[in-house]
Amino acid sequence: MEAPPATAAEAVLADDLLLRSILQRLPPPADLLRAALASHRWCRAASRAAPLAPPLLGHLFHPVDTLPPTPIPSPANAHYPAVFAPLDHAAAAPRLSLGFAAHAARGFAIQDVQLGLVLLLPSELPKMLLPRVLVLDPASRRSALLPPPPRDAVPNDRWRRTRHVVGVAVLSRAHPSRLCFEAVCVAVDGDRPRAWVASVRDGDCTCDACTPPGTIYWHICNSGRLLALDPRTVELSFLLVPAELGMHFKKYRVGEAPEDGQLCIASAEDQQLQLWVRGDANGNDNGWVLVRQMSIHRVLNTVPSLPRDMMSRMLCTSLTDIDAGRTGKVFIDTEAYGRYSFHLETQKLERLVTDDGKEYGHPIYAYFLAWPPAFLAPSETGGD
């Protein structure tokens, strides 16, 4: 008995090129992941249809109340739980939430968001105390509470009043379907750096004092230098910022350039927005090259009630961050007049407010979907 002829749909789905073309047109990333579960062949097709870089889903932040304009005394701002703002407000956009761990996350503040994981530290703990680290996976709604780094991990370690916990960061993740990852906690004891790396395997945590991979940079308030942690020697060093910024005590922020992700510095002093990247071209300033400069005077004039005189505007306006989502935007705070995103190409200024009227707090963390390993290195073999 002959097999019935294939329908037009079956013929299309049997063609790998056509199947990949169809999967490329699925709008939400979650639909692409669901399609990958159909079979081994669909998984290979979905991995080739997926963009090389994980898609940006939105941003996480702690909302804050809008404060009254100066010189009215500003009350202490309440600490609100972190919320998620999707990049696409359409109905198909994912609605992630940290509410599944609302009780555990009470009193914690976000410190890092990488590889689909959110790391939080106690918001009121003194910086000299080694903290517990709360790790949340909003996609799978799982969590892990890591113990403080052990004191005996570093030989001859002793208590120092000058100890200062710098922060925590995600280093690697085995697979987004499991809570297996490595995170680093960095502290400075006087002039001595400390780095503890925690390895978590489905809830079981081991902690060692070792060298974190990749260079980590921190912005230092009121300084003309960046703080850098060398992963090969676990030593702290300083990286000079452009003298034009450092010598004149201008505010700046360090981040990644939107185009290629390389180290960059942004500043918005004197209503002039500048973007610097590392380079050795002629005329470089301490190893930095100015690649973009524009006036934002007219843009700031559109902010309702923002002071017009130069001195008052300088006091209440500052660039708070470069969007880690590499959307081409920077974030600008005007204190009592709102927080805004500014697009470097379109020069569009957009106020950042939640649905209940609160302001976006600082910092604002980009949340990317963590692709499974099969999406990063698809197999060439395997049946349906």
Side-chain angles (χ1 to χ4, degrees):
M1 181 177 180
E2 295 184 359
T7 64
E10 291 174 337
V12 169
L13 295 178
D15 188 304
D16 287 346
L17 292 178
L18 290 177
L19 177 60
R20 187 191 313 174
S21 178
I22 293 172
L23 296 181
Q24 286 175 338
R25 289 166 169 77
L26 293 177
D31 287 348
L32 190 61
L33 291 174
R34 294 188 188 99
L37 299 176
S39 67
H40 292 292
R41 189 172 69 86
W42 278 54
C43 182
R44 293 194 300 273
S47 67
R48 289 169 173 80
L52 294 179
L56 175 66
L57 299 186
H59 296 82
L60 287 161
F61 57 90
H62 291 274
V64 295
D65 295 318
T66 302
L67 299 178
T70 55
I72 300 175
S74 300
N77 216 324
H79 177 77
Y80 293 103
V83 298
F84 174 75
L87 187 67
D88 183 3
H89 292 275
R95 294 295 192 268
L96 299 178
S97 172
L98 304 185
F100 68 95
H103 180 72
R106 187 175 303 163
F108 281 75
I110 299 179
Q111 295 292 316
D112 187 42
V113 179
Q114 293 288 342
L115 304 179
L117 297 176
V118 182
L119 270 59
L120 303 93
L121 292 181
S123 55
E124 302 297 333
L125 189 70
K127 288 294 185 180
M128 66 178 64
L129 300 180
L130 295 176
R132 305 190 75 178
V133 182
L134 179 62
V135 184
L136 304 179
D137 181 358
S140 65
R141 300 177 66 84
R142 287 176 297 183
S143 64
L145 185 60
L146 310 186
R151 297 292 303 278
D152 57 357
V154 180
N156 301 319
D157 190 22
R158 67 180 189 274
W159 174 259
R160 295 179 177 87
R161 287 182 175 272
T162 55
R163 170 171 288 171
H164 180 89
V165 176
V166 178
V168 292
V170 180
L171 295 181
S172 63
R173 189 177 186 186
H175 195 290
S177 67
R178 302 172 59 192
L179 202 59
C180 300
F181 60 92
E182 289 186 334
V184 61
C185 176
V186 179
V188 179
D189 290 357
D191 59 349
R192 303 186 183 192
R194 295 282 189 253
W196 293 268
V197 174
S199 298
V200 179
R201 296 294 178 268
D202 290 327
D204 296 328
C205 177
T206 59
C207 194
D208 300 293
C210 56
T211 303
T215 306
I216 304 175
Y217 295 94
W218 290 275
H219 165 260
I220 307 174
C221 294
N222 304 318
S223 174
R225 299 177 293 180
L226 298 175
L227 183 64
L229 177 64
D230 189 329
R232 295 167 297 179
T233 61
V234 198
E235 291 183 352
L236 290 172
S237 61
F238 292 106
L239 178 64
L240 289 173
V241 304
E244 180 177 334
L245 304 178
M247 295 295 291
H248 298 89
F249 302 100
K250 293 184 177 181
K251 302 174 185 176
Y252 61 89
R253 287 294 182 266
V254 60
E256 295 181 345
E259 298 84 3
D260 50 18
Q262 65 175 312
L263 185 68
C264 71
I265 284 178
S267 173
E269 294 290 284
D270 303 325
Q271 301 183 82
Q272 292 289 323
L273 192 146
Q274 296 180 341
L275 190 68
W276 302 75
V277 298
R278 296 293 289 168
D280 55 2
N282 292 335
N284 71 82
D285 189 343
N286 288 337
W288 297 90
V289 177
L290 182 64
V291 294
R292 190 187 298 267
Q293 180 169 326
M294 67 181 72
S295 172
I296 56 174
H297 173 76
R298 292 185 177 178
V299 174
L300 292 177
N301 283 343
T302 63
V303 176
S305 304
L306 187 68
R308 294 303 181 100
D309 64 282
M310 181 67 72
M311 183 57 67
S312 298
R313 182 169 290 190
M314 287 176 56
L315 291 175
C316 68
T317 304
S318 62
L319 187 147
T320 57
D321 219 340
I322 304 168
D323 187 3
R326 292 170 61 180
T327 59
K329 297 178 181 180
V330 296
F331 300 125
I332 297 176
D333 182 36
T334 60
E335 289 191 357
Y337 307 99
R339 189 181 303 276
Y340 295 81
S341 66
F342 177 72
H343 199 286
L344 298 176
E345 295 295 337
T346 65
Q347 299 191 23
K348 180 181 179 181
L349 192 70
E350 182 180 3
R351 187 164 186 177
L352 302 175
V353 293
T354 62
D355 293 338
D356 57 358
K358 293 184 175 60
E359 304 285 346
Y360 281 36
H362 171 73
I364 301 172
Y365 296 91
Y367 184 87
F368 291 88
L369 178 68
W371 284 136
F375 276 56
L376 304 178
S379 173
E380 296 294 336
T381 60
D384 290 341

